[in-house]
Amino acid sequence: MTVGVLGQADLAATTNTLVYTAATQSAIHINILNRNASATTVRVAIGTISGSTPTNSNYIEYDASIPGNAVLERSGIILNAGQKVVVYAGATGITASVYGIET
């Protein structure tokens, strides 16, 4: 059983980034930090994703705006083994973190 930080990434701009793949059933929280002074957009996809390319049905956030020096957080997400969290940012200076528990 793994508890705590399950995955983290400093995102490249305009690139889908695989942040976490569930080894077992997992309960997770997703935290996306905008380290920039100005707002930017992000996309968050979860589920059965081929590589790091989500389909439209995988998105739980799409071009959501995060103000400068602010956080977008989603919690209460349950993943099955093999499901993924993929995050996309419109700019550099974005950190994505996945916290939780693998059972």
Side-chain angles (χ1 to χ4, degrees), residues 58-73:
N58 295 127
Y59 287 103
I60 61 171
E61 293 288 347
Y62 196 89
D63 288 346
S65 183
I66 303 177
N69 302 311
V71 174
L72 171 74
E73 193 165 63

Side-chain angles (χ1 to χ4, degrees), residues 40-67:
T40 193
T41 58
V42 298
R43 301 173 187 173
V44 180
I46 61 171
T48 305
I49 298 170
S50 177
S52 61
T53 305
T55 62
N56 289 339
S57 64
N58 295 127
Y59 287 103
I60 61 171
E61 293 288 347
Y62 196 89
D63 288 346
S65 183
I66 303 177

Side-chain angles (χ1 to χ4, degrees), residues 6-103:
L6 301 174
Q8 291 183 307
D10 181 9
L11 303 179
T14 66
T15 303
N16 287 320
T17 302
L18 175 62
V19 180
Y20 171 67
T21 302
T24 61
Q25 187 176 49
S26 305
I28 65 166
H29 306 280
I30 302 169
N31 178 295
I32 303 172
L33 170 65
N34 180 359
R35 302 185 321 265
N36 300 300
S38 58
T40 193
T41 58
V42 298
R43 301 173 187 173
V44 180
I46 61 171
T48 305
I49 298 170
S50 177
S52 61
T53 305
T55 62
N56 289 339
S57 64
N58 295 127
Y59 287 103
I60 61 171
E61 293 288 347
Y62 196 89
D63 288 346
S65 183
I66 303 177
N69 302 311
V71 174
L72 171 74
E73 193 165 63
R74 295 293 176 251
S75 61
I77 299 168
I78 307 297
L79 298 179
N80 291 321
Q83 291 186 316
K84 300 175 181 180
V85 175
V86 173
V87 182
Y88 170 101
T92 59
I94 308 298
T95 302
S97 300
V98 175
Y99 306 89
I101 183 169
E102 293 181 331
T103 57

